[in-house]
């Protein structure tokens, strides 16, 4: 019988797997560049976000979600004809396969929408007649389908859990307006539809954030786009990422009648809790998207008689920044989720659908990144992601620990 040391070159094995004391570990990969991208860039020091070269402020003011999604996917703003064609392709892709909504009807009404969304994405793969094709065009078609159907899935679930049937799309409306219609059964007014459209533009991409990296990591194995997007939805659901907006609205509800906001903030930080919607892994100043959403909150809030949500958010922001600064932390400012939560609440979006709404927008960025990753569009060669780790577990020397048969191991009592 050959021994372990005969089978493996132990010197090599030790060299590549044992902790190297000189290695500097970077938990969370902060500041580690893992790839090139042409899709978006975040300048955290100066609070600047660009998509394909365009400043987010410019796109938020002048573009639409459809046009921004086109820009992310095709690396150029569309001509009129190209935009009309893109919108038509979105409209043609909106209907969700009946078996998916039938499966929704079997689920408990308290199913968490992000779990439902994550589970639905591979079901869309089942219904993709071209699933074996990995051409660029097949992936673009898949991206358009996902951008069209994720809102339909979220809105369909809202209807089904109320005991109703999903509403058919109204293709005379914008992508944003149609979602609000399919969600609520009420045609949104032009101002609300435009504000929601802007919120979608603001959330559409954000370089190598956790969910986008998850999408890219999965498809780097040559898995299909749906597998990558399902991973992205899972990553987005966490409260340190897209799930933060649902936590922010919980905080606002808790503080609705609170007279001492500063005291609450202090208590929260003293007990080791986070102020949700504040702080960012990259921005060390206010997130440029938060400026827009704050302004949008006050505009919509005033118009719809719900300004108190924005005043409360602003009071928390002020107290939190002051308390962070007292503790020597000068870089923790509101992020995109801090003001998107009150904005979505004012628009009537159910609280547990706020994170799915993030996905409705971010799907544009995820699919653009997946295509860039699959086709090596920003660097020469697509590569399978495979980081290393330091092994800090049991170690019995080069030959390994002695394997004891189960009957010879000490019983729990002896241990
Ligand atoms: C997003 C987040 C995970 C980034 O964390 P990070 O990369 O560790 O951020 P920083 O390195 O700037 O944090 C510096 C310090 O401030 C603390 N901090 C950061 N954000 C904080 C918050 N919202 N509340 C309380 N403390 C916070 C960190 O814990 C860290 O403390 P330490 O130095 O004592 O360990 C963090 O800011 C957070 O948890 N925010 C709340 C959740 C949220 O809104 N997520 C959505 C992000 S878009």
């Amino acid at each position: 019988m050959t021994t372990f040391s005969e089978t493996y070159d132990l010197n090599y094995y030790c060299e590549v797997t044992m902790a190297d004391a000189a290695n500097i570990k970077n938990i969370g990969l902060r500041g580690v560049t893992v790839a090139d991208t042409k899709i978006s860039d975040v300048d955290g020091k100066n609070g600047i976000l660009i998509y394909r070269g365009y400043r987010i402020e410019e796109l938020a003011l002048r573009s639409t979600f459809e046009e921004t999604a086109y820009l992310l996917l095709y690396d150029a703003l569309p001509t009129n004809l190209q935009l009309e064609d893109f919108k038509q392709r979105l409209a043609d892709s909106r209907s969700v396969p009946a078996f998916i909504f039938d499966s929704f009807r079997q689920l408990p009404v308290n199913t968490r929408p992000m779990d439902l969304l994550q589970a639905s994405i591979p079901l869309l793969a089942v219904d993709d007649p071209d699933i074996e094709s990995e051409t660029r065009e097949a992936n673009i078609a898949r991206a358009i389908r996902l951008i069209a159907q994720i809102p339909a899935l979220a809105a369909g679930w809202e209807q089904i859990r109320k005991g109703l049937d999903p509403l058919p799309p109204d293709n005379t409306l914008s992508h944003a307006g149609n979602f609000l219609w399919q969600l609520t059964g009420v045609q949104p007014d032009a101002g609300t539809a435009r504000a929601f459209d802007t919120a979608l533009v603001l959330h559409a991409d954000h370089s190598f954030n956790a969910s986008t990296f998850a999408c890219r990591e999965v498809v780097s194995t040559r898995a299909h786009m749906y597998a990558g997007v399902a991973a992205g939805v899972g990553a987005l659901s966490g409260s340190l990422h897209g799930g933060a907006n649902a936590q922010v609205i919980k905080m606002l509800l808790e503080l609705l009648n609170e007279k001492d906001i500063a005291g609450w903030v202090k208590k929260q930080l003293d007990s080791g809790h986070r102020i949700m919607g504040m702080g960012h892994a990259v921005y060390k100043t206010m997130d440029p998207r938060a400026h827009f959403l704050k302004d949008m909150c006050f505009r919509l809030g005033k118009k719809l008689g719900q300004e108190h949500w924005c005043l409360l958010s602003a009071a928390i922001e002020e107290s939190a920044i002051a308390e962070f600064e007292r503790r020597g932390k000068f870089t923790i400012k509101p992020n995109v989720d801090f003001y998107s939560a009150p904005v979505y609440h004012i628009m009537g979006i159910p609280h547990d659908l706020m994170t799915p709404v993030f996905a409705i927008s971010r799907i544009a960025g995820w699919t653009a990144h997946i295509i860039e990753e699959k086709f090596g569009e920003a660097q020469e060669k697509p590569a399978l992601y495979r980081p290393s780790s330091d092994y800090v577990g049991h170690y019995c020397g080069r030959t390994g620990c002695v394997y004891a048969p189960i009957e010879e191991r000490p019983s729990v009592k002896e241990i």
Side-chain angles (χ1 to χ4, degrees):
M1 198 175 82
T2 50
T3 64
F4 180 74
S5 55
E6 285 164 335
T7 314
Y8 295 97
D9 175 347
L10 286 173
N11 286 328
Y12 171 76
Y13 191 71
C14 290
E15 205 175 288
V16 295
T17 61
M18 294 303 128
D20 173 357
N23 247 354
I24 297 168
K25 217 170 346 196
N26 189 314
I27 294 172
L29 295 176
R30 294 290 185 283
V32 175
T33 303
V34 295
D36 292 338
T37 181
K38 292 179 180 172
I39 299 173
S40 63
D41 189 47
V42 180
D43 172 351
K45 190 163 162 256
N46 297 303
I48 295 173
L49 168 61
I50 54 170
Y51 297 168
R52 301 283 193 188
Y54 294 91
R55 292 271 303 241
I56 192 65
E57 293 82 357
E58 184 85 337
L59 294 170
L61 285 174
R62 302 178 62 187
S63 186
T64 60
F65 176 72
E66 290 91 324
E67 188 183 59
T68 296
Y70 184 101
L71 171 69
L72 290 170
L73 284 173
Y74 292 95
D75 196 16
L77 286 171
T79 63
N80 218 355
L81 215 66
Q82 286 166 331
L83 184 58
E84 286 315 306
D85 178 61
F86 187 66
K87 285 185 188 170
Q88 190 57 52
R89 288 183 77 182
L90 283 173
D92 293 344
S93 308
R94 282 207 172 103
S95 62
V96 171
F99 77 89
I100 297 187
F101 281 151
D102 287 346
S103 70
F104 282 14
R105 292 188 179 91
Q106 312 301 314
L107 295 170
V109 289
N110 62 354
T111 299
R112 290 151 50 117
M114 282 302 273
D115 293 337
L116 178 101
L117 188 59
Q118 189 178 8
S120 306
I121 306 299
L123 294 180
L124 293 176
V126 173
D127 190 57
D128 185 334
D130 210 17
I131 191 70
E132 297 302 334
S133 174
E134 271 300 334
T135 62
R136 196 174 190 287
E137 188 41 51
N139 277 285
I140 288 279
R142 233 159 255 157
I144 291 173
R145 189 164 178 245
L146 280 157
I147 295 169
Q149 295 203 357
I150 287 184
L153 290 165
W157 172 242
E158 173 65 2
Q159 294 300 312
I160 288 172
R161 72 178 173 181
K162 287 198 285 197
L164 305 169
D165 281 329
L167 290 160
D170 179 344
N171 290 329
T172 64
L173 298 172
S174 66
H175 187 76
N178 178 61
F179 170 71
L180 294 174
W181 147 251
Q182 285 194 286
L183 181 74
T184 60
V186 178
Q187 294 258 354
D189 65 86
T192 304
R194 175 62 191 146
F196 187 64
D197 184 55
T198 304
L200 295 184
V201 170
L202 293 171
H203 287 79
D205 197 44
H206 210 239
S207 75
F208 270 59
N209 58 86
S211 57
T212 301
F213 185 47
C215 291
R216 291 188 72 132
E217 193 271 326
V218 168
V219 302
S220 80
T221 69
R222 299 195 180 166
H224 57 52
M225 180 179 277
Y226 301 100
V229 170
V233 174
L236 188 75
S237 68
S239 62
L240 295 187
H241 191 9
N245 58 15
Q247 299 302 319
V248 171
I249 197 67
K250 262 192 207 161
M251 170 177 75
L252 295 181
L253 288 168
E254 187 187 329
L255 295 183
L256 207 49
N257 298 312
E258 176 64 61
K259 298 278 172 285
D260 181 14
I261 300 287
W264 179 87
V265 166
K266 185 175 178 309
K267 225 161 68 194
Q268 191 78 352
L269 295 181
D270 284 346
S271 56
H273 291 108
R274 295 188 176 210
I275 309 296
M276 300 313 279
M278 306 266 321
H280 199 275
V282 184
Y283 291 118
K284 297 304 161 207
T285 181
M286 186 145 157
D287 182 330
R289 302 165 298 175
H291 287 293
F292 265 91
L293 289 158
K294 183 174 184 178
D295 184 54
M296 188 188 289
C297 187
F298 278 99
R299 272 188 294 113
L300 268 185
K302 268 186 198 139
K303 189 172 132 193
L304 301 174
Q306 299 209 48
E307 202 187 359
H308 57 287
W309 294 106
C310 321
L311 292 167
L312 174 59
S313 303
I316 300 170
E317 175 191 348
E318 194 183 303
S319 294
I321 289 176
E323 191 57 41
F324 281 130
E325 289 184 356
R326 252 192 295 281
R327 292 163 194 244
K329 294 177 177 172
F330 295 91
T331 58
I332 307 176
K333 312 282 182 207
N335 61 49
V336 71
D337 299 304
F338 195 78
Y339 282 100
S340 69
V343 162
Y344 292 156
H345 176 79
I346 291 169
M347 287 177 178
I349 292 172
H351 298 169
D352 63 354
L353 289 181
M354 288 183 179
T355 312
V357 163
F358 198 145
I360 285 168
S361 166
R362 186 56 58 84
I363 185 60
W366 287 337
T367 51
H369 278 274
I370 286 172
I371 290 170
E372 183 176 76
E373 183 72 45
K374 277 182 176 288
F375 297 94
E377 292 182 349
Q379 57 197 27
E380 251 173 51
K381 178 176 160 294
L384 172 72
Y385 287 101
R386 202 335 183 162
S388 51
S389 54
D390 279 342
Y391 176 70
V392 294
H394 294 294
Y395 184 61
C396 310
R398 288 178 171 193
T399 49
C401 300
V402 176
Y403 177 88
I406 196 162
E407 59 282 0
E408 290 175 21
R409 291 173 210 159
S411 66
V412 176
K413 264 193 205 145
E414 288 170 81
I415 293 170

